Amino acid sequence: MDDDDDDIPQLSSHTLAALQEFYLEQQQREGIKTSQGFNQYSIGSIEEDWQLSQFWYSDETASCLANEAVVAAGKGGRIACVSAPSVYQKLKEQDGKDFSVCILEYDRRFSVYGEEFIFYDYNQPLNLPENLLPHSFDIVIADPPYLSEECLQKTAETIKYLTKGKILLCTGAIMEEQAAKHLGVKICKFIPKHSRNLANEFRCYVNYASGLD
């Protein structure tokens, strides 16, 4: 045995046990998904990645926002979800209703949704596929990943390019002034919730007469 082996870092028994527990939980989750005939559109089917500033809505909030989008879009309407995958997933659970939806998202894991997935980086707000025509969506739902004016301003460029008029924005309460400035939206009474509690107060904003008041 080489003396150099002594220099190789060793995990403590506590760390090893924690790792084993993590992998076991992961295996159990995958087992549950398989045994239940897992629905790829259910919230949590793709887990949050906090490094990408991802925080999924609660099931109730996602349903409420999805239902609002369907009503606002109208019969045969087109809905765009910009950085709002849990609303997209809820909309897909309503498969068969008379509307269409696409998801614009930076996280390529959502490419499992096929042609409805469009890779989106808010730093390049108008770098969109040619077939994504301007003002071709009846409503755009957006949840900018960061609470900064730069992120909101760039996401706003995308929203204004896509929408025929209606906008449903979800972001922090501290962004109220900037949201009005860049998108002309006003705060709603409805308070969105997340599956995990966030430190920042979160709110919805619209520019039309919605069912969220």
Side-chain angles (χ1 to χ4, degrees):
M1 184 173 172
D2 198 318
D3 289 341
D4 288 345
D5 288 346
D6 294 337
D7 296 329
I8 298 172
Q10 299 293 318
L11 293 175
S12 70
S13 57
H14 177 76
T15 304
L16 275 171
L19 267 174
Q20 286 170 343
E21 186 178 353
F22 170 77
Y23 287 128
L24 182 62
E25 283 180 3
Q26 219 173 28
Q27 287 171 347
Q28 286 172 341
R29 278 199 298 270
E30 291 304 319
I32 289 168
K33 289 176 182 180
T34 305
S35 65
Q36 290 182 346
F38 184 60
N39 178 3
Q40 66 167 330
Y41 294 117
S42 63
I43 294 174
S45 58
I46 294 176
E47 294 183 4
E48 297 170 330
D49 184 342
W50 293 348
Q51 291 182 320
L52 293 177
S53 191
Q54 290 177 345
F55 303 95
W56 296 169
Y57 299 129
S58 69
D59 197 70
E60 183 180 6
T61 289
S63 291
C64 182
L65 296 178
N67 292 337
E68 171 61 30
V70 172
V71 172
K75 188 175 181 181
R78 297 189 74 210
I79 302 168
C81 296
V82 179
S83 306
S86 44
V87 177
Y88 169 81
Q89 289 171 319
K90 272 296 171 189
L91 286 164
K92 291 303 292 183
E93 284 185 6
Q94 299 186 31
D95 208 22
K97 284 196 177 179
D98 191 10
F99 65 86
S100 60
V101 59
C102 74
I103 175 172
L104 288 81
E105 175 59 55
Y106 183 79
D107 186 346
R108 292 189 187 274
R109 289 180 298 168
F110 289 95
S111 64
V112 297
Y113 297 138
E115 292 181 358
E116 290 178 352
F117 168 80
I118 296 157
F119 176 76
Y120 172 68
D121 182 349
Y122 79 84
N123 289 300
Q124 298 176 298
L126 298 179
N127 184 15
L128 301 168
E130 288 183 7
N131 63 349
L132 211 62
L133 300 176
H135 315 303
S136 56
F137 290 90
D138 296 281
I139 184 169
V140 176
I141 304 171
D143 184 346
Y146 301 103
L147 294 180
S148 72
E149 184 164 10
E150 180 203 17
C151 181
L152 178 59
Q153 184 175 0
K154 288 179 176 178
T155 304
E157 286 184 53
T158 310
I159 295 168
K160 287 186 281 191
Y161 175 85
L162 295 174
T163 187
K164 292 178 181 178
K166 291 179 181 177
I167 298 167
L168 201 175
L169 176 73
C170 298
T171 188
I174 61 169
M175 303 300 290
E176 183 175 5
E177 191 178 319
Q178 291 92 333
K181 173 184 170 184
H182 294 293
L183 287 168
V185 291
K186 293 183 179 179
I187 203 163
C188 303
K189 290 178 183 175
F190 175 73
I191 299 178
K193 304 289 185 186
H194 291 78
S195 54
R196 303 171 195 267
N197 290 327
L198 300 187
N200 297 299
E201 185 186 354
F202 218 73
R203 298 303 293 264
C204 290
Y205 305 81
V206 295
N207 66 343
Y208 64 95
S210 77
L212 299 174
D213 276 325

